[in-house]
Amino acid sequence: QVQLVESGGGLVQAGGSLRLSCAASGRIFSTWTMGWFRQAPGKERENVAAIIWGGSSTHYADSVKGRFTISRDNAKNTLYLQMDSLKPEDTAVYYCAADVRGGKPSFWGQGTQVTVSS
């Protein structure tokens, strides 16, 4: 029903910035929570940011609060994650997620690698 395609990942030096995009095909409902997850080597999957598609409420993990900003363009069916002041510990595969309930998405993207060098 819904397909998600992430882009914008890459290699960046510590202190730098990246902007991830998630293009969604299919209908995203206003009540859905949309978000970004990441999984770093040797660590469990972590929900880093979330937003209500038809609202303004947002959530951030403590580890990224103040550095990352989640946003969306409903007309373009696109979700964004602006990542500033990147740290090596932010290195992970980042996944876009749709219809997140109880920390579990109904749909996942394929992931995009973010690598932050020191």
Side-chain angles (χ1 to χ4, degrees):
Q1 180 186 359
V2 174
Q3 292 183 325
L4 307 170
V5 180
E6 301 96 333
S7 62
L11 175 65
V12 65
Q13 293 184 353
S17 297
L18 284 173
R19 184 177 177 85
L20 305 183
S21 297
C22 170
S25 62
R27 175 73 186 275
I28 306 298
F29 293 86
S30 62
T31 57
W32 282 7
T33 296
M34 307 289 288
W36 292 91
F37 290 75
R38 69 184 182 187
Q39 188 158 27
K43 295 185 177 180
E44 295 184 349
R45 185 192 68 182
E46 177 187 21
N47 177 216
V48 299
I51 189 169
I52 305 298
W53 189 247
S56 59
S57 297
T58 58
H59 164 81
Y60 298 96
D62 289 342
S63 58
V64 307
K65 197 171 297 181
R67 300 187 298 117
F68 289 12
T69 304
I70 188 170
S71 62
R72 78 277 190 273
D73 187 332
N74 302 70
K76 295 181 178 179
N77 254 203
T78 302
L79 188 71
Y80 303 97
L81 185 67
Q82 178 67 42
M83 305 184 294
D84 298 320
S85 301
L86 283 161
K87 304 175 181 180
E89 49 263 47
D90 294 319
T91 295
V93 177
Y94 284 72
Y95 299 91
C96 180
D99 192 20
V100 181
R101 305 183 187 189
K104 297 182 179 180
S106 296
F107 306 96
W108 293 95
Q110 83 288 349
T112 185
Q113 176 71 48
V114 172
T115 302
V116 184
S117 62
S118 59

